[in-house]
């Protein structure tokens, strides 16, 4: 009783029934091996022909294992297993009754599909019947029983075959399958997924993902991903080893059929011993809190098999080779209990059958790919070298399997989190989400829950990970960790099409339209979800045109010819047409005039009132405060604040440290108009050092894109040795201004002077040759070159050989030129402290290291003016803190001046001699960092309405001790509401 109680409340019943089903299904395989000579003679086949038919059963799992695993995670597993067993038994009967070879082949093929349930669905059931701490022993018992039945089946096939012939033997051996199916349906009940771990996932009729989504989900489990590599390698050795064993003893020791049969039996008996040993180790050594040791047990068993293979191949005598074969058989099967238990523990409960299916696929694929290679080596060089090669590959697989110990605990935690998140009642539940790009992690354990009908503002500086988070939710990038559930469905690794069909729509930052299509065509494309319901598509289109009447009048206009505000309206209209339940908007107010923003805010309120849940990324806190009830603030990929938006203004540690010193400062003396300062009253350049020469002069520079003025009459001077920082909200025109200065965009009006030269019409290369060095928001390097090679390419102007012909002829100057470049590379590596990365490829570097290499490439040109566009964007806080001394050292070494765009306010305030603040393409403040960061214009540019509220709090009373009457909002101009942005003046 105590022994049975150890197996939990279900007892031994489910284990015994599933062992019986798996065992009797092995009867057919064993019988076909024993009776294949009789089958060959009946159908007049050659040895190659009967081998081809036999291989069908082994090849089927490679094709259909994933499909059956997919079904096992989405249907009642007891019924699915019973159906698969019935199919298997019926095909065994058909094998015996098949009148022609074609029908025999079909029976073997379909029967193989039925057999797969014992490797995919049965382990999933056992994982939910029995507690995790017993799984290694359970799977050991399961494998022992199934393999033991296989040995019995071979003997029974021989006895019945000699008595009643091979056809009747298949029918007789199939009958126990049908009996056990009846027993299974009578006593087995579908267990709740994850029940034995306290992770019960609610059963529902939720929409399930595709096979591709299932693959993405299991691929994200690092333990599984690594075990697939190991399974591919050791599968090549363990799966076909019975055949390899027979060939070895025939070719090397010239053993006959009887002897080889005895060796095969010995190998099978040793396998049973290995299963017992593996199950015992997993049960005794592995406790649940030490589940990572399952990977170690599995890996060591595989290594033992590889070591035994080496001994067998190297042994000088037959007796030693036989002894080695007996030893290696222990590891050949002994890894199975620990391996099967490991997969069940790292995979979420509703994903276990899929995980088993893909593991089986890679296991079989290794045998298909590598075995012919090993066979070719055996044909060319003999069996001993071939087995040595095989042993090396298997040993590598064992070591890879053992290395999974580093990931098991985290993956079990992830599986637990995934199952827990599935029980949330929230519309969207994100738990500990990690994500990044090209190996660079951007999100670090982000948690967020959205209830139906909420509107949440997602705030933070550039590089905080806001847009990355939305991409992870919508499936545009695949998270590397955590769980995302939508309406109770796991969408962590769903693709963008799946999330869109589920009701999640995203409006990308910037413009999300097709510029070469008309407005009408853009809206038509947006109805793709209703392509079979034309009435619904027409109704949805008319509704959004009521929201945005300007789009109706511009229906024939190319989207690329619309103003910025109209394009943003079109982007929102495309999302609204899909009638989403969850709407994700990335930078609603990006680059838009206040009048347009007010109109969009009004429309978004109407959409939200209709029950749509909204997540809004906003650089402007005032827009967030006007719309959202709750704010989530992110910095460096982590959530720093989550709560009511009103409380955000009470958190100076966030707003002042990340946005501005003057944010929410109620000591601001007087309210300031939201109307941008007129040209006559704009701040004039104030040099930090009146005696320093002006090296760059920008006067009245203007740039327009369609109906949007990106840069509007900007004036400033840069003095020799000075560092000038540019700040402002997204869309303020900062990057466009740098493009104009460096020659990557043409100027519509104004002039730029470099030293005494007018460079307004110069090309970008000519400006670079004159001394301008430009970086971009993303480091633009050569990914296939090492750091030293990148620097050498950047020094091409300093080489004395400028054409290919002298280089091909090895001109005498070539050696001295190359030596000089190598010396300069060494100097740059020392200056930028890149010695540790000298021989690493640029693609292998972190984001921060790539930025340092990019700076070093720019320094190779010895620029007199360095233009840096958000050098800290997307890099870790530690690397950001190291950036200031690097840039100061560059200025000192090169005696250059620096222009820098930066949203990291603490960084730019430490670095810059002066700041220039931009808003809507205009300069609103110039001066020392302390003055600019507290300037009311600058505070308003970042916070807008939030600043209004702070300023109102500081307004004096009316002299009678009473508060002044509230300011009344004046209606916006009708021309603006209808999309005419010719007038951008807005008053309140």
């Amino acid at each position: 009783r105590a022994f049975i109680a150890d197996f939990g409340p279900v007892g031994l019943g489910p284990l015994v029934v599933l062992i019986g089903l798996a065992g009797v299904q092995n009867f057919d395989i064993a019988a076909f091996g024993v009776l294949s000579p009789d089958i060959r003679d009946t159908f007049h086949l050659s040895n190659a022909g009967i081998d081809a038919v036999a291989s069908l059963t082994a090849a089927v799992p490679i094709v259909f294992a994933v499909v059956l695993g997919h079904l096992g995670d989405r249907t009642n597993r007891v019924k699915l297993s019973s159906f698969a067993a019935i199919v298997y038994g019926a095909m065994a009967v058909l094998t015996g009754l098949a009148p022609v070879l074609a029908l025999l082949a079909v029976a073997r093929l379909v029967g193989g599909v039925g057999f797969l349930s014992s490797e995919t669905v049965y382990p999933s059931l056992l994982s939910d019947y029995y507690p995790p701490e017993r799984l290694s022993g359970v799977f050991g018992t399961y494998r022992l029983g199934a393999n033991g039945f296989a040995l019995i089946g071979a003997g029974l096939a021989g006895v019945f075959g000699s008595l009643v012939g091979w056809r009747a033997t298949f029918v007789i051996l199939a009958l126990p399958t049908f009996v056990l199916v009846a027993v299974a349906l009578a006593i087995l009940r579908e267990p709740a997924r994850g029940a034995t771990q306290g992770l019960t996932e609610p059963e529902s009729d939720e929409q399930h993902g595709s096979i591709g989504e299932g693959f993405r989900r299991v691929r994200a489990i690092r333990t599984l991903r690594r075990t697939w590599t190991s399974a591919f390698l050791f599968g090549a050795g363990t799966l076909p080893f019975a055949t390899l064993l027979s060939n070895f003893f025939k070719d090397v020791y010239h053993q006959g059929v009887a002897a080889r049969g005895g060796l095969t039996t010995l190998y099978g008996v040793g396998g049973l011993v290995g299963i017992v040993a593996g199950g015992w180790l997993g049960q005794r050594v592995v406790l649940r809190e030490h589940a990572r040791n399952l990977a170690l047990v599995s890996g060591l068993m595989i290594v033992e098999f590889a070591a035994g293979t080496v001994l067998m191949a190297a042994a000088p005598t037959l007796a030693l080779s036989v002894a080695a074969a007996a030893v290696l058989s222990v590891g050949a099967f002994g890894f199975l209990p620990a391996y099967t238990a490991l997969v069940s523990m790292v995979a979420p409960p509703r994903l276990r059958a899929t995980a088993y299916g893909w593991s089986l696929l890679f296991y079989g694929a290794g045998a298909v790919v590598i075995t012919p290679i090993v066979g070719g080596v055996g044909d060319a060089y003999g069996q001993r070298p071939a087995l040595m090669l095989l042993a090396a590959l298997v040993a590598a697989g064992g070591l890879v399997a053992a290395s999974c110990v580093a990931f098991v605990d985290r993956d079990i935690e992830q599986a637990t989190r995934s199952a827990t998140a599935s029980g949330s009642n929230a519309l969207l539940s994100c738990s500990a989400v990690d994500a990044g790009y090209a190996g660079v992690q951007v999100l670090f354990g982000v948690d967020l829950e959205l209830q139906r009908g909420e509107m949440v503002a997602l705030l933070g500086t550039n590089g905080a990970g806001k847009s990355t988070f939305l991409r992870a939710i919508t499936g545009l990038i695949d998270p590397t960790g955590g769980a995302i559930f939508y309406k109770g469905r796991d969408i962590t690794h769903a693709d963008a099409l799946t999330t869109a069909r589920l009701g999640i729509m995203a409006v990308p930052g910037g413009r999300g339209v097709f510029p070469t299509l008309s407005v009408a065509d853009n809206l038509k494309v947006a109805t793709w979800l209703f392509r079979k319901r034309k009435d619904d598509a027409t109704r949805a289109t008319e509704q959004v045109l009521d929201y945005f009447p300007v789009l109706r009048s511009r229906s024939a206009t190319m989207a690329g010819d619309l103003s910025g505000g109209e394009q943003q309206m079109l982007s929102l209209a495309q999302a609204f047409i899909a009638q989403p339940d969850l709407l994700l908007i990335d930078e609603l107010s990006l680059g838009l005039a206040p009048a347009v923003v007010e109109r969009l805010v009004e429309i978004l309120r109407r959409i939200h009132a209709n029950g749509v849940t909204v997540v809004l990324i906003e650089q402007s806190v005032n827009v967030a405060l006007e719309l959202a009830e709750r704010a989530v603030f992110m910095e460096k990929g982590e959530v720093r604040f989550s709560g009511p938006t009103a409380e955000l203004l009470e958190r100076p540690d966030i707003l002042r440290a990340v946005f501005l010193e003057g944010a929410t400062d109620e000591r601001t003396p007087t309210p300031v108009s939201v109307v941008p300062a007129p040209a006559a009253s704009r701040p004039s350049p104030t040099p930090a050092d009146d005696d320093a020469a002006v090296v760059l002069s920008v006067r009245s520079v203007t740039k327009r894109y369609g109906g949007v003025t990106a840069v509007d009459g900007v004036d400033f001077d840069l003095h020799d040795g000075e560092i000038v920082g540019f700040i402002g909200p997204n869309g303020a025109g900062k990057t466009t201004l740098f493009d104009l200065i460096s020659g990557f965009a043409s100027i519509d009006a104004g002039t730029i002077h470099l030293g005494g030269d007018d460079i307004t019409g110069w090309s970008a290369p000519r400006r670079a040759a004159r001394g301008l060095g430009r970086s971009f928001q993303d480091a633009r390097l050569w990914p296939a070159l090492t750091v030293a090679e990148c620097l050498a390419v950047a020094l091409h102007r300093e080489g004395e050989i400028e054409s290919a012909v002298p280089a091909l002829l090895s001109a005498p100057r070539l050696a001295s030129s190359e030596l000089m470049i190598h010396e300069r590379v060494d100097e740059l590596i020392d200056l930028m402290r890149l010695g540790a990365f000298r021989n690493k490829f640029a693609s292998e570097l972190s984001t921060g290291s790539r930025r340092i290499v990019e700076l070093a490439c720019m320094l190779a040109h010895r620029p007199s003016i360095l233009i840096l566009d958000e050098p800290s964007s997307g890099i870790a806080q530690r690397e950001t803190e190291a950036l200031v001394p690097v840039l100061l050292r560059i200025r000192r070494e090169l005696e250059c001046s620096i222009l820098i765009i930066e949203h990291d306010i603490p960084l730019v305030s430490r670095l810059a001699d002066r700041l220039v603040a931009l808003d809507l393409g205009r300069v609103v403040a110039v001066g020392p960092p302390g003055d600019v960061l507290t300037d009311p214009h600058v505070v308003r540019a970042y916070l807008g309405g939030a600043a209004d509220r702070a300023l109102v709090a500081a307004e004096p009373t009316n002299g009678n001790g009473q508060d002044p009457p509230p300011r009344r909002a004046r209606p916006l101009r009708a021309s603006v509401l209808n999309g005419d942005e010719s007038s951008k003046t807005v008053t309140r």
Side-chain angles (χ1 to χ4, degrees):
R1 289 180 181 177
F3 174 76
I4 296 175
D6 285 344
F7 286 86
V10 298
L12 288 173
L15 177 60
V16 171
V17 171
L18 292 177
I19 287 176
L21 279 172
V24 296
Q25 288 174 342
N26 275 311
F27 282 176
D28 175 78
I29 296 175
F32 196 88
V34 172
L35 301 174
S36 58
D38 299 312
I39 298 172
R40 178 196 60 192
D41 296 340
T42 298
F43 291 101
H44 309 291
L45 297 173
S46 64
N47 287 331
I50 193 63
D51 289 344
V53 173
S55 67
L56 285 174
T57 304
V60 163
I62 299 175
V63 181
F64 292 102
V66 173
V67 177
L68 197 60
H70 180 76
L71 293 174
D73 285 326
R74 283 148 181 79
T75 59
N76 184 297
R77 289 166 292 178
V78 173
K79 294 180 179 178
L80 178 63
S81 300
S82 300
F83 176 76
I86 290 173
V87 169
Y88 185 85
M91 292 303 103
V93 172
L94 183 59
T95 298
L97 301 179
V100 295
L101 179 62
L103 198 56
L104 175 72
V106 170
R108 304 309 301 163
L109 184 65
V110 178
V113 176
F115 178 74
L116 290 176
S117 59
S118 65
E119 296 293 336
T120 54
V121 185
Y122 292 4
S124 176
L125 276 170
L126 291 172
S127 299
D128 288 327
Y129 278 131
Y130 298 101
E133 61 271 15
R134 297 293 303 176
L135 283 181
S136 184
V138 166
F139 285 125
T141 306
Y142 172 74
R143 296 290 180 184
L144 180 65
N147 286 39
F149 269 103
L151 292 179
I152 294 173
L156 291 176
V159 172
F160 285 122
S162 61
L163 295 176
V164 297
W166 71 269
R167 291 185 180 275
T169 298
F170 276 98
V171 175
I172 293 171
L173 294 180
L175 295 179
T177 301
F178 300 106
V179 175
L180 283 168
V181 167
V183 173
L185 290 173
I187 69 172
L188 296 185
R189 296 293 178 266
E190 177 72 11
R193 301 176 194 270
T196 56
Q197 297 170 270
L199 303 175
T200 305
E201 297 190 35
E203 295 290 343
S204 66
D205 295 328
E206 64 183 20
Q207 180 182 351
H208 293 290
S210 63
I211 292 178
E213 182 182 339
F215 173 69
R216 288 192 296 274
R217 290 180 64 188
V218 294
R219 183 187 60 187
I221 302 171
R222 289 182 293 180
T223 299
L224 287 183
R225 197 163 62 239
R226 185 161 289 197
T227 60
W228 291 347
T229 302
S230 64
F232 184 84
L233 293 172
F234 68 69
T238 57
L239 192 61
F241 195 77
T243 301
L244 296 175
L245 182 76
S246 181
N247 290 337
F248 173 80
F249 280 98
K250 179 180 183 299
D251 295 344
V252 175
Y253 294 107
H254 311 292
Q255 297 298 298
V257 175
R260 296 199 306 273
L263 286 169
T264 303
T265 302
L266 177 64
Y267 176 71
V269 172
L272 297 180
V273 174
I275 289 173
V276 173
W280 181 85
L281 282 174
Q283 190 64 39
R284 298 298 178 185
V285 178
V286 181
L287 300 175
R288 184 175 183 182
E289 56 268 27
H290 297 106
R292 59 183 178 274
N293 292 333
L294 285 170
L296 193 60
V297 171
S298 177
L300 291 179
M301 281 289 184
I302 296 166
V303 170
E304 189 273 345
F305 168 72
T309 303
V310 171
L311 291 176
M312 186 184 78
T317 64
L318 174 63
L320 290 176
S321 287
V322 171
V327 171
L328 68 86
S329 63
V330 174
F333 294 88
F335 77 93
L336 285 170
Y339 181 82
T340 311
L342 178 66
V343 172
S344 75
M345 298 181 77
V346 299
R350 196 172 283 278
L351 204 62
R352 284 173 178 157
T354 296
Y356 285 121
W358 282 103
S359 297
L360 183 60
L361 173 65
F362 282 95
Y363 182 71
V368 171
V369 174
I370 296 178
T371 301
I373 298 174
V374 173
V377 172
D379 292 339
Y381 302 102
Q383 291 293 338
R384 293 183 190 270
L387 287 183
M388 289 290 187
L389 172 61
L390 181 66
L393 294 174
V394 171
L399 295 176
V400 171
S403 70
C404 293
V405 70
F407 308 122
V408 174
D409 288 344
R410 181 180 182 276
D411 287 336
I412 291 176
E413 180 184 351
Q414 289 280 93
T416 302
R417 183 181 294 113
S418 175
T420 303
S422 69
S424 172
N425 293 322
L427 176 69
L428 179 73
S429 177
C430 303
S431 176
V433 176
D434 297 338
Y437 305 95
V440 178
Q441 188 169 347
V442 177
L443 300 181
F444 299 86
V446 176
D447 295 322
L448 176 68
E449 279 203 352
L450 286 178
Q451 302 299 328
R452 291 180 182 274
E454 269 197 298
M455 184 180 293
V456 175
L458 190 58
L459 308 175
T461 59
N462 281 5
K466 308 183 298 296
S467 297
T468 301
F469 186 37
L470 294 197
R471 291 189 184 104
I473 294 172
T474 56
L476 292 174
I477 63 171
D478 199 18
T480 57
I484 304 174
F485 277 77
Y486 176 70
K487 296 180 180 178
R489 182 201 191 282
D490 190 344
I491 62 167
T492 311
H493 303 286
D495 58 25
L497 289 176
T498 300
T499 59
R501 291 189 176 101
L502 290 174
I504 301 176
M505 283 291 154
V507 178
R511 307 292 177 259
V513 301
F514 301 97
T516 59
L517 298 182
S518 67
V519 170
D521 287 339
N522 269 271
L523 295 177
K524 185 176 181 180
V525 169
T527 63
W528 66 277
L529 286 172
F530 305 112
R531 59 187 180 275
K532 295 182 179 180
R533 294 177 288 159
K534 293 184 179 180
D535 292 342
D536 291 340
T538 301
R539 191 180 307 111
T541 302
E542 288 300 317
Q543 186 177 31
V544 299
L545 289 176
D546 290 340
Y547 288 145
F548 304 102
V550 65
L551 298 181
R552 192 187 299 273
S553 62
R554 304 284 180 89
S555 62
T557 304
M558 291 297 173
D561 295 334
L562 299 176
S563 68
E566 290 166 346
Q567 290 188 39
Q568 187 76 319
M569 291 179 188
L570 182 55
S571 295
L572 289 168
Q574 289 174 309
F576 294 161
I577 281 178
Q579 300 178 346
D581 295 319
L582 175 60
L583 181 62
L584 311 175
I585 303 178
D586 194 349
E587 300 290 4
L588 175 72
S589 64
L590 179 62
L592 301 182
V596 180
V597 175
E598 292 285 353
R599 174 60 173 159
L600 294 179
V601 165
E602 176 189 338
I603 293 171
L604 198 57
R605 282 199 183 104
R606 292 171 60 187
I607 295 295
H608 177 242
N610 291 334
V612 178
T613 306
V614 180
V615 177
L616 177 68
I617 287 182
E618 256 307 319
Q619 192 75 20
S620 175
V621 178
N622 79 307
V623 175
L625 290 177
E626 288 183 26
L627 282 169
E629 303 97 346
R630 182 159 65 100
V632 176
F633 189 90
M634 293 181 65
E635 184 181 18
K636 300 296 182 184
E638 298 179 343
V639 174
R640 287 190 54 189
F641 170 86
S642 179
T645 51
E647 293 182 8
L648 187 61
L649 291 176
E650 301 173 6
R651 292 291 303 270
D653 59 315
I654 293 177
L655 290 179
R656 294 182 184 177
V658 181
F659 285 104
L660 300 169
E661 289 286 340
T664 74
D665 192 345
E666 295 185 357
R667 295 172 298 173
T668 307
T670 55
V672 183
S673 170
V674 297
V675 182
S681 64
R682 291 181 202 153
S684 59
T686 55
D689 185 354
D690 292 335
D691 296 331
V694 174
V695 294
L696 181 69
S697 178
V698 175
R699 289 292 176 265
S700 302
V701 169
T702 301
K703 179 64 178 178
R704 299 181 182 87
Y705 293 101
V708 176
T709 301
V711 177
D712 190 2
V714 170
D715 296 322
F716 75 90
D717 288 334
L718 176 67
H719 295 258
D720 188 21
E722 186 182 23
I723 298 179
V724 175
F726 286 77
I727 64 171
N730 285 358
K734 305 181 298 296
T735 298
T736 301
L737 177 61
F738 276 23
D739 287 340
L740 298 174
I741 294 171
S742 55
F744 287 92
S746 59
I747 295 174
D748 292 334
T751 60
I752 300 175
H753 285 80
L754 180 60
D757 300 327
D758 184 349
I759 64 170
T760 307
W762 289 15
S763 65
R766 187 177 178 188
R767 298 185 196 201
R770 181 65 172 77
L772 288 181
R774 168 75 190 276
S775 76
F776 298 86
Q777 291 182 12
D778 54 332
R780 301 184 181 182
L781 298 171
W782 298 274
L785 299 183
T786 65
V787 169
E789 290 168 343
C790 287
L791 295 175
V793 171
L795 288 164
H796 71 282
R797 290 181 180 273
E798 299 193 12
E800 298 182 13
I801 304 298
E802 297 182 356
S803 63
V805 174
L808 289 173
L809 298 176
S810 299
R813 289 186 300 158
L814 179 64
S816 60
S817 178
E818 289 183 345
L819 179 61
M820 181 270 294
I821 289 177
H822 285 307
E823 290 175 351
R824 284 281 290 128
V825 168
D826 293 338
E827 291 175 7
L828 290 169
I829 287 177
D830 291 340
L831 174 65
M832 305 303 291
R833 299 175 184 174
L834 291 169
F837 307 104
R838 180 188 188 100
N839 295 316
K840 286 192 174 183
F841 292 105
S843 59
E844 299 174 347
L845 303 178
S846 68
T847 301
S849 299
R850 287 201 301 271
R851 292 198 181 278
I852 299 301
V853 175
E854 184 189 38
L855 285 173
C857 291
M858 294 169 58
L859 298 185
H861 293 283
R862 302 181 188 272
S864 58
I865 297 177
L866 205 54
I867 303 176
L868 307 175
D869 194 347
E870 297 191 34
S872 74
S873 176
I875 65 176
Q877 184 64 42
R878 177 178 57 82
E879 295 171 321
T880 299
E881 294 168 354
L883 193 59
V884 173
V886 169
L887 294 177
L888 292 175
R889 187 168 68 252
I890 289 172
R891 178 176 67 167
R892 182 177 63 252
E893 295 287 342
L894 295 184
E895 299 179 349
C896 66
S897 305
I898 297 177
L899 298 177
I900 180 173
I901 293 173
E902 188 50 67
H903 278 281
D904 192 321
I905 299 300
L907 183 149
V908 74
S909 61
R910 289 170 53 199
L911 183 66
D913 300 308
R914 282 190 304 144
L915 290 182
V916 176
L918 298 178
D919 185 32
L920 298 177
R922 298 180 178 183
V923 176
V924 295
V926 177
D931 295 343
V932 172
L933 295 178
T934 55
D935 185 280
H937 286 282
V938 180
V939 174
R940 193 174 307 283
Y942 269 99
L943 301 181
D948 272 345
R949 284 182 276 277
L951 294 173
V952 168
E955 287 183 359
T957 60
N958 60 11
N960 298 322
Q962 299 176 354
D963 292 336
R967 291 177 290 178
R968 298 176 61 187
R970 295 163 61 182
L972 300 174
R973 298 185 180 183
S975 60
V976 176
L977 286 175
N978 290 327
D980 184 359
E981 297 181 52
S982 58
S983 173
K984 296 183 182 294
T985 302
V986 183
T987 57
R988 288 193 173 97

